[in-house]
Amino acid sequence: MMANLFNEYYFVYVLLSLKDGKKYTGYTKNLPSRFEAHQNGKVESTKNRRPFKLIYFEGCLNQQDATKREKYLKTFYGKRFLGNRLKSYFTG
């Protein structure tokens, strides 16, 4: 039941490169599969920055909301939001 529920969402996610310490933000319909693709070097834009840790994700009800949210999280204010949201993660 729950697995089917997650198939109805698009996910906006943030990866932390354990190689260079930088973050990557994207969106996908299938988060486990997309994360695996990043880890296995099958995503052109991140293949030289592996390995990754998934540090944040949120679900959206449709693709339009996910793309808007992804764009927002890449802005100055979006990065500030993530910094505040993940403050305890980054400060230990």
Side-chain angles (χ1 to χ4, degrees):
M1 176 83 180
M2 284 302 271
N4 293 340
L5 179 67
F6 288 108
N7 291 339
E8 298 175 20
Y9 291 91
Y10 284 83
F11 295 93
V12 179
Y13 62 93
V14 179
L15 303 177
L16 177 66
S17 168
L18 301 178
K19 182 176 181 181
D20 64 19
K22 294 180 181 176
K23 295 178 209 66
Y24 174 85
T25 302
Y27 84 94
T28 185
K29 182 82 169 145
N30 185 329
L31 187 56
S33 176
R34 186 65 173 164
F35 180 69
E36 188 177 314
H38 281 289
Q39 290 291 60
N40 292 329
K42 295 179 179 173
V43 179
E44 190 66 32
S45 59
T46 61
K47 70 179 183 181
N48 295 319
R49 298 174 56 200
R50 300 175 290 153
F52 292 97
K53 183 171 190 176
L54 178 65
I55 60 170
Y56 182 80
F57 68 91
E58 54 186 62
C60 297
L61 295 174
N62 58 53
Q63 186 176 1
Q64 294 80 6
D65 287 346
T67 56
K68 284 180 188 172
R69 188 65 173 161
E70 177 195 21
K71 285 179 184 173
Y72 170 74
L73 291 177
K74 291 178 176 180
T75 67
F76 171 80
Y77 294 106
K79 289 176 182 176
R80 190 187 321 183
F81 165 82
L82 283 171
N84 288 330
R85 185 79 172 90
L86 300 171
K87 189 175 286 186
S88 61
Y89 172 77
F90 287 115
T91 58

